[in-house]
Each structure stands twice: as C-alpha cells, then as structure tokens.
Amino acid sequence: MNDLGSIPDDAIPAITTAWLSEAADGIAAAASLLRAGQVVAFPTETVYGLGADATDPGAVARIFAAKQRPRFNPLIAHLADTASAFAEGVFDEAARSLAEAFWPGPLTLVVPAAPDCRVCDLARAGLPSVALRVPAPALTRALLARVGRPVAAPSANRSGRVSPTSADHVLADLEGRIAAVLDGGETPVGVESSVIACLGGPPRLLRPGGLTREALEARLGYALAGPESGDTAHPVGPGLLASHYAPRAQVRLEATSASSDEAVLLFGPETLPGADAARARLNLSPAGDLAEAAAHLFSALRQLDGVGARVIAVASIPERGLGEAINDRLRRAAAPR
C-alpha cells in the first residue's frame, strides 16, 4: 500500500461478510474475530465503526485496506471504560476533567501516548499522541470488554464517503471486504465524536461532533482553541481531511433555490423555491431540531445520492449547538476532491 492507501479493488480478496445480531452470541463472535486479527464493523452512539485490534499492526492494516484510507490519518482507539483509556495516554488536568464528565460518550481525546501505550504506531500514524474514546452504548462496551484490548475504529465506510448509521449502510460500502458487521440498529447521534486535542497547550477543538462546543466549554470554564494550521495537512486526529464524508453528487451549500435536476436537503419548516419540482427532497428536521437533523444527516445524504442527481442543494443550517458539527460535515462533503 502506498501512503495514500490507493489499493485497487481487485487487490483485496473477496470474503464473506457475516451479519451478527446484538445478542450475546453475536457479541461473542464479533469479539473472537477481533481478537483473531479480523476487521469487524460495530455500532456506537455516533456512527458505525470499522474495528480491528489496535495492538496488532497487521489487523490495523486491514482497516486501511478495506477503507482505502490514507495511512497518515490516525485512528481512534476505543476502550470499554475510562480506567482502561487512562492507561493508554497521559491526561493533563483538562483532559481528565473532560473524560470524567463526558465518558462514556461521543468525545475523543487526543493526548500524549503513555510510555506503555498498547496502540500500535500504524493506528497512531507514527505520532507521539493517541486518540482515545469510551463509547456510550452498553452493546459496544460489552464487545470492547470481551476483546480486552484497544480497538481501532474509524467510520465503517470507504474513505471519504458518507459515514454509516446502520448495518445496511456498512454492507453497501464494505460487503465482501470485512469479516462481519454487528447489527445494533440505527445510531442515535448520527455524526462522529467531537475531537479535542490536549497536548500541552490550551485544549483545541479539532473536529466538532456529537458533543457540543457549549457543553465542552461549560465544563472547562473557558473557550476552546481551534485547529492549528498544520492539522489538516498532517492531521493529529481523525476526521480532519478537507474532503471527507462525501456523496458521489456534488454538494451545494447555503442554497436559496433549487432546480429540477437537483436533489434538495432541507432543514426546518421553510422550503426552497423550486424544491417541489426537484428530483428528490428530504428534510433533516421539519421542526428545526438540530439533534434530529444530526441523527438523519448521513442517511439523508445517502438517500439523495441514490436518486442520481448531479448536485445536492443544501438549505442553510444554524451554526449553533449540533449545527456546528452538521455544517462541518457538509463543508467537507462539498470540498474539492
């Protein structure tokens, strides 16, 4: 694999992807596959992750191959509980405060790797830091506890594509490329975790996500800094590439009207001129609820992409609360590819 992860599809042998239920035997089977070095998709509260044993470079390499993901892009290591996560990194006062307040939950903390950190260099993209998260669902933490090791897990989709919020979405992108998917139903949050870097200076919000800026800053008692200029070119955390979360159709933001050859993504009670004649239209939340909109975002993008329109026109979405994360994903979806 080269540094951009550009592996031809025919270079990856096709395998049978098992569907596993959320019952105890499904969790046990998924854990056995992960411990054996295989790649398994599983649900979190945010989106489905594509998991592999983070201590095994060979297993982690299978994630990059399945996703065709750039190797310079670090992965999040998922742990079953806060104590396990604390063992893998060096947490300053701010990082520890955020972990104690928001784990389990949709928060990833990028901290210096502990001297005996088990997360391999490949999962960390060769960096001296490590990205750690304790997800909320009992199903996910039960799986992680059975594995007994950190599990690296980016979103379970081809790199750059729309993130999956159901097992069906995972299979649409990765069937025949991964060992199994553990089906836990639709994910409730619908956008990835918020990523905070605590690396010696003021905490930085690298990626807005399922935990709002307002909640994070209320816990810290001060404003978060933003990413540094080099974070996108050589990311220290996941989800920082300029083009990401993209459907095949072009995405047109802040649309004030729509044409008949476009698909339309609406928000709130107001429509757009021309939307009724568009090829297709969906509303993330007719009531204007940002949590509902976040939960529906990736599924809606996939549905609209499926109608074959060249462009998806997106109505304005407020830049507050979860709207910050929604707009971040939409801007990356609209970025040049």
Side-chain angles (χ1 to χ4, degrees):
M1 181 189 296
N2 63 26
D3 284 344
L4 294 179
S6 54
I7 298 178
D9 285 349
D10 60 7
I12 301 172
I15 59 176
T16 300
T17 300
W19 177 89
L20 303 174
S21 77
E22 60 184 320
D25 58 349
I27 296 171
S32 293
L33 287 167
L34 287 167
R35 289 181 64 87
Q38 297 302 309
V39 177
V40 176
F42 60 88
T44 74
E45 73 275 34
T46 57
V47 300
Y48 273 71
L50 186 59
D53 180 354
T55 72
D56 179 355
V60 172
R62 293 187 181 97
I63 293 177
F64 288 97
K67 283 180 64 73
Q68 296 181 298
R69 180 185 175 97
R71 283 199 180 195
F72 61 77
N73 201 358
L75 306 179
I76 299 171
H78 294 68
L79 286 303
D81 53 61
T82 301
S84 298
F86 282 168
E88 304 297 335
V90 178
F91 287 70
D92 61 17
E93 181 180 355
R96 188 167 289 271
S97 176
L98 291 171
E100 290 171 348
F102 298 116
W103 278 350
L107 172 67
T108 294
L109 292 170
V110 180
V111 297
D116 54 354
C117 178
R118 294 176 294 167
V119 180
C120 70
D121 281 347
L122 182 57
R124 290 160 43 198
L127 296 168
S129 55
V130 62
L132 301 169
R133 180 158 107 84
V134 180
L139 166 66
T140 312
R141 287 185 284 118
L143 171 65
L144 295 170
R146 288 194 72 119
V147 175
R149 304 165 189 163
V151 173
S155 57
N157 55 278
R158 301 284 187 103
S159 187
R161 302 257 184 99
V162 179
S163 298
T165 55
S166 72
D168 286 343
H169 294 165
V170 174
L171 293 172
D173 256 11
L174 298 174
E175 187 166 14
R177 302 171 71 91
I178 63 176
V181 56
L182 179 62
D183 188 354
E186 294 190 359
T187 61
V189 174
V191 292
E192 295 83 357
S193 60
S194 303
V195 180
I196 306 291
C198 296
L199 296 170
R204 291 183 285 134
L205 178 61
L206 301 184
R207 179 182 74 183
L211 191 59
T212 66
R213 177 191 293 270
E214 291 87 344
L216 292 161
E217 292 180 343
R219 174 66 177 185
L220 291 170
Y222 51 83
L224 286 160
E228 293 182 344
S229 58
D231 285 344
T232 298
H234 302 285
V236 298
L240 298 182
L241 299 181
S243 178
H244 211 31
Y245 316 110
R248 292 175 177 83
Q250 294 179 352
V251 175
R252 182 166 68 86
L253 303 179
E254 301 290 338
T256 56
S257 63
S259 62
S260 60
D261 61 346
E262 293 181 319
V264 179
L265 188 61
L266 300 168
F267 174 79
E270 302 297 326
T271 188
L272 297 180
D276 289 346
R279 180 171 293 194
R281 68 182 187 277
L282 289 173
N283 197 318
L284 291 173
S285 174
D289 184 306
L290 289 168
E292 181 183 24
H296 293 161
L297 175 63
F298 289 137
S299 179
L301 285 174
R302 284 177 177 269
Q303 289 182 63
L304 292 178
D305 204 27
V307 305
R310 185 180 59 83
V311 174
I312 299 173
V314 182
S316 177
I317 296 172
E319 191 83 24
R320 67 172 189 274
L322 284 173
E324 183 179 15
I326 295 168
N327 283 312
D328 171 81
R329 304 309 187 272
L330 288 169
R331 282 190 288 268
R332 295 178 195 275
R337 304 169 192 177

